[in-house]
Amino acid sequence: MPTAALLTVPSPATQAGRLLAVGAAERAGLSAPDLRDLAAGVPDGDLLVLAPSLLPASALADLLTWRDRPVFVVADMTDLDDFGPLEDAVPPAPAYAMGDLDRGDAYRNCTPDESLPRIRAAGRTPLTVTEGLTWLLQCPDVLERNACTMTVGSRLRRANGSLDARTPALWISNGTGRDGRERRGAAKVGWCWAGNRHTWLGIASAAGRIAL
């Protein structure tokens, strides 16, 4: 298990540097000074996030590597960017900060449907897939073999208003199926059913979001 230090986000200035280094700021249409100005408003210990309105989840995933391997989106999730935030996970601004992130290990072997009410009752908010990817960039140790996480704050809403049963998740590929053997050990954006349990997937949450 990673120590708390490994899951603590770096300084806001370091976070800005990493976003610049991978090309996230450029892809979002932000200059380096603009991003650094935003980072200056991030409280120490909080995560700096660029909302999907600036940087869609698929575009962010394309920019990231994990342990020197490209992060990828599973082949059957071509609609990743159609997954929008739940009502309590809406970005408060195009750039914002998140505090007290938790990988959600306590919710392993609990379904998203079971866990979400508990997260809300604790006064917390579920992470979206964009937030999970941003945390992965800043804290690579948030993923480890047999201890990964779901980002259930992102859901796909059907035309009739009901929710698609898939919940996005971040984990490590075993190189099976359509992932391909060459991707064994790479970080991936996939999905799990909202009613299924997984002993190796937590459900990520945070204390809240503040606009920058």
Side-chain angles (χ1 to χ4, degrees):
M1 298 289 292
T3 66
L6 290 174
L7 293 184
T8 299
V9 296
S11 72
T14 298
Q15 292 183 59
R18 291 180 181 176
L19 287 165
L20 288 165
V22 300
E26 181 180 8
R27 176 63 177 77
L30 294 172
S31 68
D34 286 341
L35 184 65
R36 293 193 177 104
D37 284 348
L38 289 168
V42 176
D44 286 338
D46 280 13
L47 180 71
L48 169 60
V49 183
L50 302 180
S53 59
L54 292 178
L55 187 61
S58 64
L60 177 56
D62 282 345
L63 296 172
L64 301 187
T65 59
W66 183 76
R67 297 183 181 174
D68 299 321
R69 305 280 300 284
V71 174
F72 70 97
V73 180
V74 295
D76 60 351
M77 207 171 184
T78 58
D79 54 357
L80 173 61
D81 292 335
D82 294 331
F83 281 70
L86 294 176
E87 62 275 8
D88 57 340
V90 175
Y96 58 100
M98 300 192 74
D100 192 22
L101 278 72
D102 184 351
R103 189 171 65 179
D105 293 353
Y107 297 105
R108 285 192 213 159
N109 209 32
C110 298
T111 73
D113 285 343
E114 293 168 338
S115 302
L116 191 54
R118 293 169 55 190
I119 288 170
R120 288 168 169 163
R124 296 178 62 81
T125 179
L127 260 64
T128 66
V129 65
T130 291
E131 293 160 354
L133 285 166
T134 303
W135 194 17
L136 181 65
L137 167 65
Q138 304 296 353
C139 297
D141 289 295
V142 73
L143 293 189
E144 56 180 326
R145 183 64 67 181
N146 298 321
C148 299
T149 195
M150 287 188 265
T151 53
V152 304
S154 294
R155 296 293 295 272
L156 178 63
R157 197 168 291 279
R158 301 188 184 101
N160 65 5
S162 64
L163 292 175
D164 184 281
R166 293 171 294 166
T167 60
L170 307 177
W171 76 92
I172 303 166
S173 175
N174 287 325
T176 57
R178 285 185 286 182
D179 286 2
R181 273 187 271 180
E182 70 279 3
R183 282 173 162 163
R184 179 175 173 80
K188 63 191 267 189
V189 181
W191 58 269
C192 301
W193 300 119
N196 282 9
R197 304 173 188 276
H198 297 278
T199 58
W200 47 277
L201 281 174
I203 298 180
S205 68
R209 300 169 180 83
I210 57 171
L212 298 176

